[in-house]
């Protein structure tokens, strides 16, 4: 059934932090009519997130933001667990020639306020995106084919706008999640920590180091970040109040082993409770939760923001294909199917790093198991990989590790890349039949391109993949490999999911709501939105 209702916006994005800004940018670059709603007027001036991984950096490149973000990032070159005296227990130094399957270094430190400004500036240049700052969401009502969103920007300034879809990117205390009555559940890690940021007066080496100090008296994290930025995180004892912990005299006592007041300037000290939580549902009709609204994790892997950006990258291309009529609305059901288990794995991994710090601290105190007896699989450099994405779109019959992971980043001799040739379409990437070094590309349908790679390029692809690739790759717009096989088989598989990708689409279809209007306290789950 198709709704004839006209909506003010295709998508309302609630929250203008990094996840909301990236979602708005990805959708605006597609030409979607987007409204961004943000309760604060200014960017939060203090650094919070501090790590970007290679998938995130590649995402920024596809958004055309690499050059703008480059001044605010520094490669992370050392990651380690140490005893209280600084002797390494486990860890590694990242070599300069480390494999770069996404075309960049594996991880970077970054200055969040500066990167937030780059993202907001990019959104501001998009003609189809409206941004409402100092504005709060106060109501959300499902209507035929979409939603009415009630906003307030002051005591008497209320307005109602309509949107087909709503994205809740509004953080751990999500108003969207609250209005939907979706509870969260804890995975069992809940600790109070003090986070301290400082700027070195003298600068420091650009080595980029993360050290987890496994001190039985007080666990700590020490970070030499980008430019002159220094960060410490200290676990707080039960009898240490948050108010006392942020007092300068308390903070400087903790920092004494590393820095003195004449060597650095305090930027902030904030007491946090590190959580490991999941929302029970990530979607309700046409409302989706992303980022901290859906999941929270301790910071030991530096993956909180990166995981939220993966949510945005996963969902936004799917919204675009549905709005264009290239895919059926049930494609959107794969968002939670794919993201919930993948994000949960990262939350659990982050918790396991915290538990490993505790185990090492116990060993240092002399009351733990021998070092070699500890399960170190979650530690830095232990070989554990980010999980592959699972779901119905992924065909694992080829039994290849690339399926469910990002396709390797490959440069083209003319200065472009495989990403540039693919753009926002699906791609069938195959080995060229012709001799020579010529890359070729052709469009096989409205939303699929074929890229033929010469022998030397294919050899590089296999090197980055870590094993031979015995067929063509079907690559999604978010660069995840769906399947490996013969091109004709891959094209047929794509047609089952995206009929409009290989032939002219029908008129865009507006999905009929499967749930009644959201009311606080009701169960809005659907069988296609799995519980973690």
């Amino acid at each position: 059934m198709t709704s004839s209702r006209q909506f003010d916006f295709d998508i309302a994005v609630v929250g203008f932090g990094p996840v909301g800004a990236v979602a708005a940018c990805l959708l605006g670059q597609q030409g979607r009519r987007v409204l961004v709603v943000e309760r604060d007027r200014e960017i939060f001036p203090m650094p919070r997130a501090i790590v970007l991984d290679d998938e995130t950096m590649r995402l920024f490149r596809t958004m055309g933001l690499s050059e703008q973000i480059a001044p605010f990032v520094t490669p992370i070159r050392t990651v380690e667990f140490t005893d209280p005296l600084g002797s390494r227990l486990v860890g590694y130094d990242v070599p300069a020639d480390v494999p770069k399957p996404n075309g960049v270094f594996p991880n970077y430190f970054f200055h969040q306020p500066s990167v937030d400004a780059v993202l907001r500036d990019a959104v501001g240049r998009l003609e189809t995106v409206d941004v409402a700052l100092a504005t709060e969401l106060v109501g959300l009502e499902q209507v035929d084919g979409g939603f009415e969103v009630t906003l307030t920007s002051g005591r008497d300034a209320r307005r109602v706008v309509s949107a087909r879809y709503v994205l809740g990117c509004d953080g751990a205390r999500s108003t969207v999640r609250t209005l939907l009555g979706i509870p969260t559940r804890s995975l069992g890690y809940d600790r109070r920590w003090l986070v301290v940021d400082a700027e070195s007066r003298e600068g420091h080496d650009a080595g980029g180091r993360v050290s987890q100090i496994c001190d039985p008296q007080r666990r700590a994290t020490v970070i030499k970040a980008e430019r002159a930025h220094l960060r410490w995180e200290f676990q707080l004892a039960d009898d240490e109040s948050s108010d006392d912990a942020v007092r300068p005299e308390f903070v400087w006592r903790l920092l004494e082993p590393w820095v003195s007041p004449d060597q650095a300037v305090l930027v902030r000290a904030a007491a946090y409770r590190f959580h490991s939580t999941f929302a029970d549902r990530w979607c309700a009709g046409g409302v989706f939760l992303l980022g901290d609204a859906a999941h929270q994790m301790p910071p030991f892997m530096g993956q909180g923001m990166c995981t939220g950006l993966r949510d945005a990258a996963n969902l936004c291309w799917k919204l675009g294909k549905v709005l264009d009529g290239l895919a059926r609305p049930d494609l959107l059901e794969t968002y939670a199917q794919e993201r919930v288990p993948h994000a949960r794995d990262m939350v659990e991994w982050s918790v396991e790093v915290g538990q490993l710090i505790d185990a090492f601290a116990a060993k240092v105190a002399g009351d733990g198991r021998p070092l070699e007896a500890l399960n170190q699989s979650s530690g830095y450099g232990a070989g554990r990989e980010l999980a592959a994405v699972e779901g119905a779109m992924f065909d694992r019959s080829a039994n290849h590790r690339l399926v469910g992971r990002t396709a390797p980043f490959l440069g083209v001799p003319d200065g472009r890349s495989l990403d540039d040739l693919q753009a926002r379409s699906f791609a069938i990437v195959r080995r060229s039949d012709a001799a020579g070094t010529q890359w070729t590309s052709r469009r096989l349908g409205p939303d699929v391109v074929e890229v033929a790679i010469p022998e030397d390029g294919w050899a590089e692809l296999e090197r980055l993949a870590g094993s031979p690739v015995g067929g063509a790759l079907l690559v999604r717009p978010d660069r995840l490999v769906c399947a490996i096989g013969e091109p004709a088989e891959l094209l047929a598989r794509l047609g089952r999911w995206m009929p409009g990708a290989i032939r002219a689409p029908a008129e865009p279809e507006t999905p009929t709501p499967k749930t009644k209007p959201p009311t606080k306290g009701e169960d809005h789950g659907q069988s296609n939105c799995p519980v973690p």
Side-chain angles (χ1 to χ4, degrees), residues 81 189 219 298 300 349-359:
F81 294 71
Y189 187 93
R219 322 290 191 265
F300 306 120
W349 191 354
S350 300
V351 169
E352 289 167 11
V353 173
Q355 294 169 338
L356 186 57
I357 295 171
D358 290 341

Side-chain angles (χ1 to χ4, degrees), residues 77-154:
R77 301 187 181 278
T78 298
V79 286
E80 61 185 2
F81 294 71
T82 77
D83 66 16
L85 298 179
S87 296
R88 180 179 293 181
L89 300 170
V90 295
Y92 73 111
D93 299 308
V94 185
D97 61 348
V98 64
K100 299 178 177 65
N102 285 297
V104 293
F105 219 69
N107 291 283
Y108 294 79
F109 292 127
F110 79 109
H111 185 251
Q112 184 177 348
S114 299
V115 171
D116 283 353
V118 170
L119 294 173
R120 287 199 179 189
D121 182 64
V123 172
R125 295 193 301 270
L126 298 169
E127 294 183 357
T128 61
V129 180
D130 291 349
V131 178
L133 300 176
T135 301
E136 292 192 59
L137 169 73
V138 294
L140 182 62
E141 181 180 357
Q142 195 163 21
V143 296
D144 181 28
F147 295 86
E148 288 186 344
V149 178
T150 302
L151 309 172
T152 179
S153 55

Side-chain angles (χ1 to χ4, degrees), residues 28-39:
Q29 288 178 341
Q30 300 173 17
R32 310 300 161 200
R33 295 170 298 131
V34 178
L35 173 66
V36 182
V37 179
E38 169 56 45
R39 65 167 60 93

Side-chain angles (χ1 to χ4, degrees), residues 161-385:
V161 299
S162 60
R164 287 192 179 187
Y165 300 102
V166 177
L167 308 189
C169 308
D170 50 344
R173 300 177 182 177
S174 170
T175 300
V176 173
R177 191 185 65 228
T178 300
L179 289 173
L180 293 174
I182 297 176
T184 61
R185 66 177 68 181
S186 173
L187 299 188
Y189 187 93
D190 190 82
R191 304 285 193 278
R192 291 172 57 248
W193 284 65
L194 175 70
V195 178
V196 178
D197 288 289
E199 292 291 321
S200 171
R201 296 181 188 272
E202 304 169 352
H204 58 75
D205 66 84
R209 178 181 295 269
V210 179
S211 300
Q212 301 291 352
I213 313 299
C214 305
D215 189 340
Q217 302 304 312
R218 189 187 299 276
R219 322 290 191 265
T221 303
V222 181
I223 295 173
K224 285 186 174 182
E226 50 76 47
R227 298 186 294 182
H229 184 194
L230 302 167
R231 171 171 289 184
W232 294 264
E233 297 165 359
F234 299 99
Q235 190 168 0
L236 295 175
D238 292 340
D239 60 353
E240 292 173 333
S241 73
S242 297
D243 289 340
D244 288 339
V246 299
R247 298 183 189 279
E249 56 272 22
F250 183 90
V251 172
W252 283 116
R253 282 200 302 272
L254 294 180
L255 299 185
E256 186 175 354
W258 295 278
V259 70
S260 63
D262 62 334
Q263 295 174 313
V265 177
L266 285 184
V267 174
R268 71 157 183 163
Y272 287 94
R273 188 172 288 277
F274 291 169
H275 293 292
S276 58
T277 63
F278 254 79
D280 270 6
R281 308 282 181 182
W282 285 33
C283 53
V287 182
F288 302 87
L289 300 180
L290 297 81
D292 284 356
H295 48 76
Q296 300 163 56
M297 65 190 75
F300 306 120
M301 288 296 296
Q303 277 288 320
M305 193 189 82
C306 296
T307 302
L309 297 187
R310 286 189 182 88
D311 299 341
N314 183 291
L315 178 61
C316 289
W317 73 265
K318 296 174 181 176
L319 286 169
K321 304 309 181 188
V322 171
L323 287 167
D324 281 340
L326 295 169
R328 294 181 296 270
D330 58 7
L331 176 68
L332 301 178
E333 298 173 4
T334 65
Y335 167 66
Q337 292 170 357
E338 294 173 2
R339 289 303 306 144
V340 166
H342 193 263
R344 181 176 179 124
D345 179 76
M346 182 51 66
V347 175
E348 291 175 343
W349 191 354
S350 300
V351 169
E352 289 167 11
V353 173
Q355 294 169 338
L356 186 57
I357 295 171
D358 290 341
F360 278 132
K363 169 59 182 172
V364 169
D367 55 1
R369 290 175 292 164
L371 190 60
E372 58 274 10
L374 297 178
N375 181 359
Q376 302 176 26
S377 60
S378 295
Y380 306 142
R384 177 169 173 173
E385 287 188 296

